[in-house]
Amino acid sequence: MHSSRKGSDVLVIGGGIIGLVTAWRAARRGLRTVLADPDPGGGAARVAAGMLAAVTELHYGEETLLGLNVASAARYPQFAAELAEASGGLDIGYRACGTLAVALDADDRLHLRELHALQRRCGLESQWLTGRECRRLEPMLAPGVRGGLRVDGDHQVDPRRLAAALLAACERAGVGVHRTAATRLLTGADRALGAVLEDGTELRADQVVLAAGSLSGRLEGVPPEVAVPVRPVKGQVLRLSVPPAYAPFLSRTVRAVVRGSHVYLVPRENGELVVGATSEELGWDTTVTAGGVYELLRDAHELVPGITELPLVETRAGLRPGSPDNAPLLGPTDLPGLHLATGHYRNGVLLTPLTGDVMAELLATGTVPEVARPFSPRRFSTTRQETYA
Ligand code: GLY
């Protein structure tokens, strides 16, 4: 076993977009930062569609989370510009295209009307459209569309490009990237001291951030009183390609709830059309199933019949890091020196800019910014309960 004797200021465990943004932002604050992941830039972001859907994915009882989501969405334009510069010119595909959520039958319409009322109560901007108005905006929509919500503030990025840019920015900022898994947390004198990697390397650091997505609850050596209640929630996603002759196929993200399941179509400027996503509680299974692909194509076809003409270029499944209240765990734990940045569930891409800023502020100053305080990991701790207001 060998060890980095001097140690770093910060060790980030996990190199998905949340771990990478944390490491990049910490390094920019002057902290000596290392990161461990066998496949940095991978994880759920390789599958995700990249919707920035703070308004269209609003749910009852999640108004506090809404505040975090809206704050992060507002940071995206500046974040994309800073990241382009820091990564040596990589573009993350931020596209201010807006979203149209549509209803296919009377039940869907009622559901959307209720969502619209909730959005208005929360002070959010969205506009009710008739079916005809929806089709005027997006002529490829099915003739049977009964109405919809136009949300001009819900945009998109390309999560694969986001991950690549974050990895480049980390390397350019001097983050030491170890392409090996961390297997065990090192503790001593009642605090976190670092981690042991799969190849036996010991990485020591003053502060450790566990940001391993759905795997965050699996790190050995985390004391039982530090709850990391994160579980994998499988999502299957398809990628179609829009030939130039068919463009523009869709000009914005189009989504609906069909028979109780969410389906969305996210058109990229390069012709990729991402169709997602299933939501399945099946543990660590990442099999792409005939049933999953069938349901996505069936529902997407009801919305936009023309998709059956398009080449199907990729099918994939990923694991969202689900938490008990669907909100992330951001901040210090009951073990001094150990922080969490995980549990982002359906909002990892959306919450990337804000997570980076929150974690960097915590690592640099010891203070959690106000906006993130309701998301303390201690709300699930077995020794102390904090109010999740
Ligand atoms: N936010 C989209 C999804 O998780 O499927």
Side-chain angles (χ1 to χ4, degrees):
M1 179 181 292
H2 48 290
S3 65
S4 62
R5 257 186 229 105
K6 270 167 62 188
S8 317
D9 297 322
V10 175
L11 163 63
V12 179
I13 298 175
I17 51 176
I18 296 298
L20 288 170
V21 78
T22 299
W24 171 47
R25 292 305 222 192
R28 277 173 47 125
R29 298 287 287 258
L31 298 167
R32 290 169 307 129
T33 304
V34 293
L35 177 146
D37 191 298
D39 180 23
R46 214 164 257 164
V47 181
M51 289 180 300
L52 308 176
V55 179
T56 39
E57 288 204 358
L58 174 63
H59 289 98
Y60 283 103
E62 294 185 0
E63 288 81 357
T64 309
L65 176 59
L66 170 69
L68 199 72
N69 288 344
V70 168
S72 198
R75 289 178 198 207
Y76 246 104
Q78 173 74 21
F79 175 81
E82 277 178 41
L83 186 49
E85 195 177 331
S87 63
L90 297 182
D91 175 7
I92 63 169
Y94 176 72
R95 188 175 172 202
C97 59
T99 296
L100 183 64
V102 300
L104 287 167
D105 60 25
D107 286 348
D108 295 350
R109 216 175 111 134
L110 196 63
H111 169 87
L112 265 195
R113 284 280 192 198
E114 283 173 8
L115 176 62
H116 191 211
L118 179 62
Q119 289 167 342
R120 290 167 73 114
R121 281 201 298 283
C122 293
L124 300 169
E125 276 185 34
S126 65
Q127 183 191 356
W128 182 263
L129 301 184
T130 63
R132 186 175 296 177
E133 288 169 330
C134 291
R135 280 188 300 281
R136 206 173 295 140
L137 273 185
E138 295 297 341
M140 295 306 286
L141 280 174
V145 163
R146 305 279 293 268
L149 277 178
R150 175 176 176 166
V151 179
D152 287 340
D154 274 2
H155 304 314
Q156 61 157 297
V157 291
D158 183 334
R160 293 177 181 177
R161 292 165 78 178
L162 171 63
L166 284 169
L167 182 55
C170 278
E171 284 171 337
R172 289 166 66 100
V175 174
V177 178
H178 294 255
R179 287 174 160 76
T180 316
T183 52
R184 186 163 53 83
L185 186 71
L186 274 173
T187 56
D190 289 332
R191 61 171 297 118
L193 298 175
V196 182
L197 308 188
E198 207 163 38
D199 63 6
T201 304
E202 274 189 8
L203 294 179
R204 294 192 173 247
D206 295 341
Q207 302 185 79
V208 178
V209 180
L210 179 50
S214 60
L215 295 166
S216 299
R218 291 189 126 190
L219 185 69
E220 285 173 30
V222 176
E225 64 275 15
V226 176
V228 189
V230 174
R231 68 182 197 287
V233 182
K234 177 179 172 182
Q236 300 189 50
V237 172
L238 318 176
R239 280 173 163 81
L240 312 180
S241 146
V242 178
Y246 286 51
F249 190 78
L250 295 174
S251 63
R252 73 202 68 220
T253 296
V254 169
R255 57 183 303 153
V257 178
V258 183
R259 287 174 287 271
S261 301
H262 288 272
V263 63
Y264 44 80
L265 293 89
V266 183
R268 303 237 194 274
E269 259 158 6
N270 65 5
E272 184 176 79
L273 180 67
V274 186
V275 179
T278 65
S279 190
E280 304 164 74
E281 301 271 359
L282 291 173
W284 303 102
D285 174 50
T286 51
T287 315
V288 174
T289 63
V293 174
Y294 164 71
E295 281 170 25
L296 287 172
L297 286 176
R298 179 196 63 195
D299 295 350
H301 174 255
E302 280 188 38
L303 228 57
V304 180
I307 61 150
T308 49
E309 305 294 322
L310 305 179
L312 172 62
V313 292
E314 191 185 310
T315 59
R316 256 191 201 234
L319 299 172
R320 304 176 184 89
S323 76
D325 58 10
N326 301 335
L329 290 83
L330 299 174
T333 68
D334 284 337
L335 182 69
L338 178 65
H339 310 302
L340 301 187
T342 186
H344 292 68
Y345 188 39
R346 299 181 72 94
N347 298 308
V349 178
L350 172 60
L351 288 173
T352 294
L354 186 126
T355 299
D357 291 346
V358 164
M359 297 310 293
E361 182 69 15
L362 167 63
L363 291 163
T365 68
T367 304
V368 177
E370 188 70 39
V371 66
R373 291 201 187 144
F375 305 96
S376 164
R378 291 177 175 141
R379 70 190 188 276
F380 301 118
S381 113
T382 51
T383 52
R384 183 166 12 149
Q385 292 291 323
E386 284 191 5
T387 312
Y388 174 52

